[in-house]
Every structure is written in structure tokens, then in C-alpha cells.
Amino acid sequence: LRRFFSGRTALITGAARGIGKEIALRLAKDGANIVVAAKTVIPHPKMAETIYTAAEEIEKAGGRALPLLLDVRDEENVQECVEKAAMRFGGIDILVNNASATSLTGTEDTDMRRYDLMHSINTRGTFLMSKACLPHLKKGMNPHILNISPPLTMDKIWFGPHVAYTMTKFGMSMCVLGMAEELRPYGIAVNALWPATAIWTPSMEMLTEGKGEAGSRSPLIVADAAYAILSKGSAKFTGQFLLDEQVLKADGVTDFDKYAMVPNVPLVPDLFTPGVPYHSLWSRK
């Protein structure tokens, strides 16, 4: 049995639920150490999962978990979280920048509080987390930074409907473009991973008012793709902007039906997927 990530440490932001948690569970099956870093410590009425429930699942899956309260906007909190993680597990080998805030609103309908929230979590938070983890990643085993962010496509189709949100997700991807080159001499890989289709998560359920399940895939597909990326040699596999489906096809996966939330329903292309039209599902405010 291949256990590539056994004993290695991954810090995953926004890991209490959704895509972040599924990536954590996928690595935990190998016996990885997972730092569950998120803000959710008290169950939400609509979303009961917390960093503590996620940590329990990770331990059951075969990993070791450290749940830590993290607000990626707070520099002091970020530094404290990173140091606690490194102290507990002896270092950090992987950083997954998954935490994100979303508002698919036009300019008039985007209040500045929401604008600032998206910029401070998505772009600034990704930069800050990467910066704080760097001293540990430089000493890490096959060190990777993986941002859950889209391919850089300067196409008005993605900017027109919600320029504020688009700026922040492309800001995360610009971190990949720059840091991959900056960190190449240290052998630290920096890559972006994005779903080719809508992914059914608690956030997606809220975003679509519960109407997006048919046409969505399970977050397991993103977790499987993340596992494949993080398994690759960090010295050479860097600066890539990858779609989950593309990664798995390259690894020989042919059965994608297993990821569908509802069988035999046409899949909704995700935002920012190159070469596809803007789907009406995303027009919900």
C-alpha cells in the first residue's frame, strides 16, 4: 500500500468543510499530519461542521490532526498558527490556500465591507499564509504550496458580472505565477488547482439557495486531483494552472461518473473555466 504522505505535514486553510476538508481526508488516508486551520469553532445553524469535527474525521481516516482557530486576515494569528503547527509536527511540508470568500455581485451591489472581506481573505490571506509558511517550507520534504484558484484568463466574460470577486481569485493565481518563479531555487512548488465543474459544498448550497446539486460534482474530485499534484516532485512540477479533470486524466483516470452528485445530469461548468460560456447558475446574487 502506497502511503506517500505518511509523516508529512499539510496546513490547509478553510479545512473545516467542503473542498478543504476533502483534501485533508485524502492525505490523512496516507497517515499525513493535517493542520485544520479555519474560523469555524462553533457549529453554524445551517453548517454543523467545525475544525474539531473535521479533526475527528481526519483521525478516523488514519491521519493526525491539529485543529487551530485561524483568521487569515489577522497577521498575528497567522504567525501563531504556523508556529504551533511547526512545533507540533516538527515542520510544514505542504500549504493549501483554500480559504475563500465569495460574492457574485456587480459593482453597485458590492458593499465595501464585502469587497474588503474578499480581498483580505482571498488575495491577502493567500499571500500572508505563504509568506508565514516559507521558513518551514524551505526545510520541508517535497514542499508544495497549492492555491485553490483559477487559471489566469484575462477575459471580460469573467470580469463583467462580478469584478470584485474575480479580482481576488485571480489575485490568488497571480501569487502562483510570481511565487513559482521566486521559490524555484528552493525547490518549493507553487501551483493552482481549480474545478472544471461546479462542486457541491455547503458554501455552494448557500450560494445557489440549494438549487445547484444536480449538475455539480463531489469535492472528492478536487481532493483526488490535489493528491496527484502534491505527489509530484516539487523541484520540477511548479507554476502550473490546473483543472481537476485535466490532472486526473493525465494520471489515467477515465471514470468521472462516480464524482457526479446526481447521475446523468449535464454538468455545470465552473466559473473561470477557459473556453466555456458563463452559466446561468452563477447569475444568482
Side-chain angles (χ1 to χ4, degrees):
L1 181 67
R2 184 175 178 229
R3 289 170 62 83
F4 189 86
F5 294 96
S6 178
R8 293 175 62 201
T9 300
L11 193 162
I12 305 174
T13 68
R17 54 179 175 255
I19 288 171
K21 188 182 81 170
E22 291 302 333
I23 294 173
L25 290 171
R26 186 69 181 84
L27 299 178
K29 287 178 183 175
D30 273 18
N33 307 317
I34 308 291
V35 184
V36 187
K39 284 198 305 175
T40 318
V41 294
I42 299 169
H44 185 278
K46 293 182 180 177
M47 294 185 272
E49 295 162 300
T50 67
I51 58 173
Y52 305 113
T53 61
E56 284 176 22
E57 287 186 60
I58 287 161
E59 298 268 354
K60 284 178 187 171
R64 292 198 298 164
L66 175 63
L68 290 177
L69 172 63
L70 174 68
D71 182 347
V72 297
R73 299 170 292 176
D74 183 334
E75 186 174 0
E76 192 175 316
N77 180 203
V78 164
Q79 203 62 52
E80 182 184 15
C81 173
V82 168
E83 293 313 315
K84 279 183 179 175
M87 190 176 295
R88 169 71 177 272
F89 294 124
I92 297 169
D93 305 298
I94 294 162
L95 168 66
V96 179
N97 285 308
N98 167 68
S100 198
T102 307
S103 183
L104 302 181
T105 46
T107 300
E108 277 192 298
D109 295 323
T110 305
D111 65 70
M112 294 314 293
R113 184 190 63 81
R114 175 62 61 170
Y115 177 96
D116 289 341
L117 180 73
M118 289 191 288
H119 276 265
S120 59
I121 291 176
N122 302 357
T123 306
R124 184 179 182 273
T126 292
F127 184 91
L128 176 56
M129 287 302 305
S130 304
K131 174 182 166 66
C133 286
L134 268 182
H136 303 290
L137 290 169
K138 284 179 179 178
K139 297 180 282 188
M141 186 187 299
N142 199 44
H144 277 259
I145 296 174
L146 182 63
N147 293 354
I148 307 303
S149 66
L152 274 173
T153 310
M154 293 295 147
D155 190 330
K156 62 189 177 186
I157 187 177
W158 308 122
F159 284 88
H162 35 67
V163 63
Y165 175 64
T166 301
M167 287 164 67
T168 66
K169 293 307 291 187
F170 282 3
M172 293 175 71
S173 297
M174 289 168 76
C175 285
V176 170
L177 189 66
M179 289 182 192
E181 288 308 304
E182 179 187 357
L183 304 180
R184 198 182 289 272
Y186 302 103
I188 300 171
V190 190
N191 295 295
L193 173 62
W194 192 246
T197 68
I199 300 295
W200 191 243
T201 63
S203 299
M204 180 68 173
E205 187 171 359
M206 288 181 71
L207 196 66
T208 63
E209 298 167 354
K211 297 172 184 173
E213 186 172 7
S216 292
R217 281 175 170 160
S218 158
L220 288 171
I221 189 171
V222 187
D224 286 348
Y227 184 99
I229 292 166
L230 298 170
S231 301
K232 297 186 188 303
S234 63
K236 292 184 178 177
F237 194 83
T238 188
Q240 305 284 318
F241 295 88
L242 303 152
L243 297 177
D244 53 2
E245 197 175 284
Q246 163 199 3
V247 172
L248 295 175
K249 281 180 179 174
D251 270 17
V253 176
T254 55
D255 176 18
F256 289 90
D257 293 342
K258 63 183 178 182
Y259 295 117
M261 293 301 297
V262 181
N264 305 315
V265 173
L267 293 165
V268 174
D270 202 359
L271 292 165
F272 313 122
T273 306
V276 302
Y278 194 97
H279 196 278
S280 58
L281 180 72
W282 308 115
S283 299
R284 299 178 185 279
K285 301 297 186 284

